[in-house]
Amino acid sequence: MELLFVHGALVRDGAWWWQPTADLLHETTGIRSRAVALPSCGERETGTTDTGTTESGATESGTPEGGLVEDAAALRRALDAVDPDTGAIVVGHSYGGTVIAEAGHHPAVRHLVLVSSYLPAVGQAQAGIMSGESDPVAIADHGDGTLGVSGYDAASFGARFLQDADAATQQGAWERVTAQSAAAFVTPTTRAGGQDVDSTVIVCTDDRSTSVALQREHAARATRSVELPTGHHPFITRPDLVVEQLTALLG
């Protein structure tokens, strides 16, 4: 069994975000993880790097290219490399759930885990999914086909997205904030990859980014859901709770 992690919007270096959970998961189960490089965030796959605790796709950063379609294609390529006899668990965070949906059905997928994320229906775009939020994250149009978070610094970003993490972790997260192609947000999904496979949604009840109401709306579409008392990134702040949920899926 492998695990593929699909990170959220407007950040880069998925392996860094997933690492605390990857380390603990490997320690307790022997399962290794890879983070999928998202072209819309300017990431390029450069090979596989063995860190000793997780196998994460090594990436380099560049100019954002493509959008949702290209991100979904990157996920499918990662799944194509999975041993079909063992399969994979795919974990999507936030926008990562929309990427999973657009990737569609893949025979290597054994289970989906969505963390403060979405199970969109066909025809929904990320911008539309987020449009009903009462306290939306401020996003600016850069005028060059990309978007980025607006009005934040390391402290305010940390308070919004990682209030349950220490200052060093908040700073590390801020350093990985990046521009993303607007096409990732405005392209409607053409598939619903979560329909034909078992799925678990982790609702983060102390999330200051994605409302609990929106999380629960999408959780209702999953096979099962669980609520954790964490902020937007439990795989950083409470890897023990995330690994507990992943371990339960292994039987």
Side-chain angles (χ1 to χ4, degrees):
M1 181 74 71
E2 291 187 54
L3 189 144
L4 300 182
F5 176 68
V6 187
H7 68 73
L10 303 169
V11 299
R12 58 176 177 80
D13 194 4
W16 180 87
W17 300 86
W18 181 249
Q19 196 70 47
T21 291
D23 289 345
L24 183 58
L25 182 66
H26 182 254
E27 177 186 331
T28 56
T29 69
I31 290 179
R32 294 182 178 272
S33 306
R34 288 188 286 147
V36 177
L38 300 183
S40 73
C41 292
E43 296 176 321
R44 307 289 180 272
E45 192 77 29
T46 61
T48 301
T49 300
D50 188 350
T51 67
T53 55
T54 179
E55 291 180 355
S56 301
T59 64
E60 61 182 5
S61 296
T63 303
E65 295 180 358
L68 176 63
V69 173
E70 288 73 17
D71 290 346
L75 172 56
R76 289 192 67 84
R77 287 194 298 273
L79 286 166
D80 288 343
V82 170
D83 183 342
D85 292 330
T86 57
I89 295 173
V90 182
V91 178
H93 177 238
S94 198
Y95 164 74
T98 305
V99 175
I100 290 169
E102 182 60 19
H105 173 75
H106 193 287
V109 177
R110 298 292 184 267
H111 201 99
L112 300 178
V113 178
L114 292 308
V115 183
S116 188
S117 190
Y118 318 103
L119 280 167
V122 171
Q124 287 190 292
Q126 185 66 35
I129 293 170
M130 299 163 58
S131 64
E133 292 281 54
S134 60
D135 183 22
V137 174
I139 297 176
D141 186 339
H142 293 161
D144 61 356
T146 69
L147 306 176
V149 295
S150 176
Y152 293 95
D153 57 17
S156 59
F157 182 87
R160 177 91 190 228
F161 293 92
L162 282 153
Q163 80 277 9
D164 46 351
D166 59 35
T169 301
Q170 291 178 358
Q171 179 64 38
W174 176 245
E175 292 170 358
R176 289 164 173 82
V177 171
T178 193
Q180 185 171 4
S181 169
F185 292 82
V186 301
T187 303
T189 55
T190 61
R191 302 174 180 178
Q195 288 187 344
D196 300 321
V197 62
D198 285 343
S199 55
T200 298
V201 169
I202 294 177
V203 175
C204 302
T205 59
D206 290 336
D207 198 324
R208 297 178 180 176
S209 170
T210 305
S211 69
V212 174
L214 183 57
Q215 292 180 65
R216 287 173 176 161
E217 176 186 330
H218 285 266
R221 303 172 182 175
T223 308
R224 63 185 288 269
S225 65
V226 61
E227 301 199 353
L228 301 182
T230 72
H232 193 57
H233 298 87
F235 39 85
I236 292 178
T237 61
R238 291 299 306 271
D240 57 318
L241 297 181
V242 177
V243 169
E244 181 181 4
Q245 295 302 316
L246 294 173
T247 302
L249 299 178
L250 301 175

